[in-house]
Amino acid sequence: MKRLQALLGFAAKAGALVTGSAAVEAGIKQRKIALVICASDLSAKTIKNFNYFCKKNEVRFYCFGIISELSHWVGSSGRGVIGITSKQFADAIESLFIDGGEHH
């Protein structure tokens, strides 16, 4: 979890992510998002919608953590949806999920 926290913090400082449902959805439509992380304590409907929207647009999708945790990591309160715009950050974050470095 510390590696994910660090990567999200670096991505935020680098301007390589967007937060919030509307901004992430707009980014997906504009093909600017490489990976989406939704907090697991969002409504089931929101998670389902983002999962579907990501699959439809060929964007990697993960459900992880809780809103307060993710918000703190990216320095923006009340954000349960995070879109990573940098392919390099997206690849590094995805490797944590795939390699079992983080649970999801």
Side-chain angles (χ1 to χ4, degrees):
M1 190 143 34
K2 289 217 181 289
R3 290 193 58 207
L4 178 60
Q5 180 179 358
L7 282 170
L8 287 176
F10 290 142
K13 285 185 179 110
L17 58 78
V18 292
T19 60
S21 298
V24 173
E25 191 171 324
I28 292 170
K29 286 178 182 172
Q30 296 165 2
R31 299 222 167 273
K32 292 182 178 176
I33 304 292
L35 181 142
V36 171
I37 299 174
C38 280
S40 57
D41 58 344
L42 289 168
S43 75
K45 182 178 180 185
T46 299
I47 293 170
K48 181 180 163 196
N49 288 345
F50 267 99
N51 188 20
Y52 170 78
F53 197 49
C54 285
K55 277 187 180 157
K56 182 179 161 196
N57 289 279
E58 298 178 0
V59 173
R60 296 172 277 181
F61 175 86
Y62 291 92
C63 189
F64 181 84
I66 57 174
I67 295 169
S68 60
E69 187 174 64
L70 293 176
S71 296
H72 178 71
W73 294 351
V74 299
S76 187
S77 67
R79 302 299 178 154
V81 182
I82 299 170
I84 309 298
T85 58
S86 158
K87 184 177 181 336
Q88 291 79 14
F89 276 115
D91 290 347
I93 290 167
E94 185 173 47
S95 74
L96 295 177
F97 290 118
I98 292 173
D99 296 342
E102 305 286 347
H103 67 282
H104 60 290

